[in-house]
Amino acid sequence: MQFLLSAYDGTDDMALERRMRAREEHLAMVQNLKESGNFIWGGAILDDSDKMVGSVIVYDFESREELENMLKTEPYIKGDVWQNIKIENFRLANIQA
């Protein structure tokens, strides 16, 4: 089952610093999830000045409960980076070029 996660960082003065502090661990986790087939695609949401202010990720897990259990270890959640998180059921279009 696929899920779309949209997560916005905090808006306080320390938000970008928290993101950068947790970023390496977050990217390592994403790499592991990609290798296991649980990460489909994702990236940073940018503001008008190209500053990272959030993330969009498509995950693939057997259940929402499995996704939520994984998110308990997500560095951006543990590091208080993501402040506003929305998770929706999702289906990536399968279009051949």
Side-chain angles (χ1 to χ4, degrees), residues 6-93:
S6 302
Y8 285 88
D9 300 358
T11 57
D12 60 279
D13 291 339
M14 300 302 292
L16 184 57
E17 183 177 319
R18 283 193 307 276
R19 174 179 272 269
M20 298 314 291
R21 199 170 38 236
R23 190 165 190 260
E24 187 175 323
E25 187 180 355
H26 165 76
L27 292 175
M29 183 176 195
V30 166
Q31 181 62 41
N32 289 336
L33 290 168
K34 182 168 180 59
E35 291 169 5
S36 68
N38 297 116
F39 174 91
I40 297 176
W41 65 258
I45 299 169
L46 306 177
D47 69 8
D48 291 338
S49 63
D50 288 340
K51 181 180 114 187
M52 291 181 284
V53 296
S55 305
V56 174
I57 300 174
V58 175
Y59 292 107
D60 191 349
F61 281 93
E62 289 295 317
S63 67
R64 185 176 179 122
E65 180 181 11
E66 194 176 314
L67 170 63
E68 289 176 357
N69 285 335
M70 180 280 298
L71 288 174
K72 292 175 184 175
T73 66
E74 165 56 61
Y76 281 175
I77 292 176
K78 291 182 353 184
D80 203 28
V81 176
W82 290 340
Q83 301 285 310
N84 183 4
I85 301 169
K86 183 176 182 181
I87 299 171
E88 300 174 277
N89 293 347
F90 187 79
R91 182 178 306 127
L92 189 64

